[in-house]
Amino acid sequence: MTSKAVDYVQAHREAMLDELNEFLTIKSISSLSEHKQDVAEAASWLERQLLHAGLEKVEIIPTAKHPVVYGEWLKAGDEAKTILVYGHYDVQPVDPLHLWETDPFEPTIRENKLYARGASDDKGQTFMHIKAVEAMLKSEGALPFNIKFLIEGEEEIGSPNLDAFVEKEKERLAADVLVISDTPMLEAGRPAICTGLRGLAAMELTVKGAKGDLHSGLYGGAVPNSLHALVELLASFRNEAGEIAISGFYDGIEALADEEKESLAALGSGDDSMKSETGVSALVGEEGYSSRERTWIRPTLELNGVFGGFQGEGVKTVIPAEATAKISCRLVPGQDPDDILNKIEQHINTHTPKGVTVTTHRHDTGKPFAAPVTDPAFAAAARAYEKVYKTEVAYTRMGGSIPVVETFDAQLHVPIVLMGFGLPSENFHAPNEHFHLENFDKGLETILAFWQEYSKLS
């Protein structure tokens, strides 16, 4: 870590926060078509920031939906290490809006936390890498390594166009290491290097009964109620032990290595901290596993939305003709998203209640990923964290998904270091998302320290 670069980020902290606030005002919601121009605006904003930081070449590259922003500085020469940084500039929708204490696109600082959609996931964390490059180039005039940036605008919708982009552009993206900051630390003050991500398989299913809504007095008790049928079908997805009751759902799951089992056990169950973070009195899930195991190394099937019938104020006594549920599965190594969705559809066909039909529509998918941590890049990242945070780094897995990581692994064949600076309690994807500014400050220094540590490796 160069003292000049650290001095630079400390001297320019408020200016950097002002720039981040500007970034966070852009409503780059990739899933909503009415925000297509906002997503494009965020890409243009990043282009300007990368050029200001000192990168020699920056491009906005169109895809079938939202653009990719690519930048590079390659003046360190062929003998130097090349670092590829991945991040995303798109964000999740903000619903339900009434649960936000302040406007999600008007950044606000409260108790040294920056509140805004995207503050932690992933605008804030991606922005830190750009500012770290700026600090080194402005204070030193050069880097001891080459660096490339790949920042996409579709991560929150499953990166549907990035797989093809990475495969097509793998020579342009060639590097010695890939660094991603889009994962949480273990807890406040305890940094973590993430060694695995769960995959994703999402689906919407719609139950249809009568040709239209019916009067519940005239037809109730005789004609199938689509909401009742949907509830019955959804209940069949789990058993009383919290296990997923889809035939073959757990087939092929890869066992943890003994070393990872021991490392996970040493971190403790995490049950008490999870109850405290979420404000619940008890935890639920697959019997025989701790909360960390349930959220890191076991697959899930969750209901994300259930709706049908009358939704307005008061009562309307109808038998709904149609009811819908949105579900998603988090998957672990050894599971394939398409295979899992096939098995869910087979289960639905077998368990559809009498008198109704069920149609399905598939949504996002992403393959799970687990990284071997023997490459020296991981030790370099651990040393950087420990220099700045003054505590031992934890090796963890993350329950969430970054779909393109498995593609990076398959196409680029480089170590992938997931070194995040968010906290599990920062409400990403939920109202009142925020980013602890302590980790903004320490994160910048950690990134600088890692780059210096890594550039010294032979």
Side-chain angles (χ1 to χ4, degrees):
M1 171 169 45
T2 66
S3 59
K4 287 183 179 180
V6 173
D7 289 345
Y8 182 94
V9 298
Q10 291 174 350
H12 293 79
R13 180 186 189 266
E14 295 311 311
M16 290 180 177
L17 281 179
D18 287 344
E19 290 169 337
L20 176 55
N21 288 344
E22 183 180 299
F23 192 20
L24 293 171
T25 64
I26 303 173
K27 301 176 182 181
S28 51
I29 303 172
S30 54
S31 62
L32 301 179
S33 58
E34 61 262 36
H35 289 288
K36 183 177 177 64
Q37 186 56 44
D38 294 313
V39 178
E41 180 186 345
S44 296
W45 189 93
L46 281 171
E47 179 187 34
R48 295 191 297 273
Q49 279 287 318
L50 289 166
L51 288 169
H52 173 73
L55 271 68
E56 58 182 342
K57 178 182 177 182
V58 181
E59 293 180 69
I60 296 177
I61 305 171
T63 74
K65 193 170 180 69
H66 299 306
V68 165
V69 182
Y70 173 81
E72 64 184 29
W73 189 94
L74 305 179
K75 294 182 178 179
D78 294 339
E79 300 301 316
K81 297 284 189 183
T82 298
I83 298 168
L84 172 63
V85 176
Y86 163 82
H88 67 92
Y89 64 87
D90 63 320
V91 299
Q92 284 276 337
V94 297
D95 311 78
L97 186 59
H98 71 278
L99 294 181
W100 286 81
E101 293 183 26
T102 52
D103 189 301
F105 293 108
E106 293 183 6
T108 305
I109 295 176
R110 302 194 298 273
E111 298 178 342
N112 206 35
K113 303 169 191 174
L114 177 59
Y115 285 81
R117 173 58 89 225
S120 183
D121 180 20
D122 178 44
K123 286 181 175 179
Q125 298 197 60
T126 298
F127 176 79
M128 289 159 62
H129 286 271
I130 299 172
K131 293 293 108 176
V133 166
E134 177 185 316
M136 292 190 74
L137 286 175
K138 301 294 186 186
S139 65
E140 301 280 357
L143 306 174
F145 50 84
N146 301 305
I147 193 159
K148 301 175 180 179
F149 280 85
L150 176 63
I151 309 174
E152 70 157 319
E154 297 183 352
E155 195 275 344
E156 297 294 7
I157 55 173
S159 303
N161 295 296
L162 202 61
D163 284 359
F165 179 86
V166 172
E167 185 173 0
K168 178 183 176 183
E169 300 287 351
K170 56 187 174 184
E171 289 188 16
R172 186 205 296 238
L173 300 174
D176 297 296
V177 66
L178 170 61
V179 181
I180 302 174
S181 294
D182 192 16
T183 53
M185 302 186 359
L186 182 65
E187 56 193 23
R190 185 75 190 278
I193 295 172
C194 180
T195 65
L197 300 162
R198 292 194 291 189
L200 177 68
M203 173 186 288
E204 185 171 320
L205 58 102
T206 300
V207 174
K208 293 184 179 180
K211 60 185 179 181
D213 288 356
L214 300 174
H215 190 293
S216 66
L218 297 179
Y219 297 99
V223 175
N225 183 314
S226 291
L227 270 174
H228 290 189
L230 178 62
V231 170
E232 180 183 338
L233 180 58
L234 297 178
S236 74
F237 288 165
R238 293 177 181 272
N239 63 25
E240 293 182 358
E243 298 166 334
I244 298 161
I246 308 292
S247 179
F249 188 88
Y250 295 100
D251 290 353
I253 291 177
E254 297 174 9
L256 290 185
D258 290 341
E259 184 179 2
E260 190 167 8
K261 284 182 184 177
E262 293 169 6
S263 177
L264 180 59
L267 296 175
S269 71
D271 291 1
D272 290 340
S273 61
M274 185 167 288
K275 285 191 285 188
S276 176
E277 285 170 12
T278 59
V280 298
S281 59
L283 300 175
V284 299
E286 193 178 358
E287 289 183 0
Y289 295 93
S290 69
S291 61
R292 284 203 173 111
E293 290 171 323
R294 290 169 182 163
T295 56
W296 289 357
I297 65 168
R298 297 299 294 170
T300 66
L301 188 156
E302 298 287 349
L303 306 182
N304 308 127
V306 178
F307 47 95
F310 180 61
Q311 306 289 311
E313 184 179 355
V315 176
K316 183 181 181 184
T317 53
V318 295
I319 298 173
E322 186 172 303
T324 300
K326 296 178 185 287
I327 64 175
S328 64
C329 301
R330 300 291 178 169
L331 310 178
V332 298
Q335 292 181 303
D336 177 79
D338 290 331
D339 176 64
I340 291 298
L341 292 175
N342 288 340
K343 288 171 177 174
I344 294 173
E345 288 175 344
Q346 290 168 7
H347 180 94
I348 290 170
N349 290 337
T350 303
H351 292 79
T352 296
K354 291 189 300 183
V356 299
T357 60
V358 182
T359 57
T360 60
H361 177 72
R362 298 185 179 194
H363 289 294
D364 301 351
T365 61
K367 292 183 178 179
F369 166 78
V373 295
T374 53
D375 191 275
F378 291 91
R383 290 193 298 272
Y385 269 127
E386 290 164 5
K387 281 182 180 179
V388 176
Y389 282 87
K390 311 299 183 186
T391 189
E392 182 181 2
V393 73
Y395 288 88
T396 67
R397 291 199 184 190
M398 188 179 85
S401 306
I402 307 176
V404 76
V405 169
E406 194 274 338
T407 301
F408 284 134
D409 185 48
Q411 296 294 332
L412 302 185
H413 307 292
V414 295
I416 300 174
V417 181
L418 297 159
M419 50 187 305
F421 301 97
L423 291 178
S425 59
E426 288 180 337
N427 290 0
F428 17 86
H429 292 205
N432 300 309
E433 179 182 350
H434 57 278
F435 189 30
H436 285 67
L437 293 181
E438 175 189 7
N439 293 322
F440 177 80
D441 298 328
K442 289 185 175 180
L444 276 164
E445 293 190 25
T446 302
I447 291 167
L448 290 168
F450 170 66
W451 286 351
Q452 291 287 14
E453 289 282 341
Y454 186 72
S455 65
K456 293 185 291 187
L457 296 176
S458 57

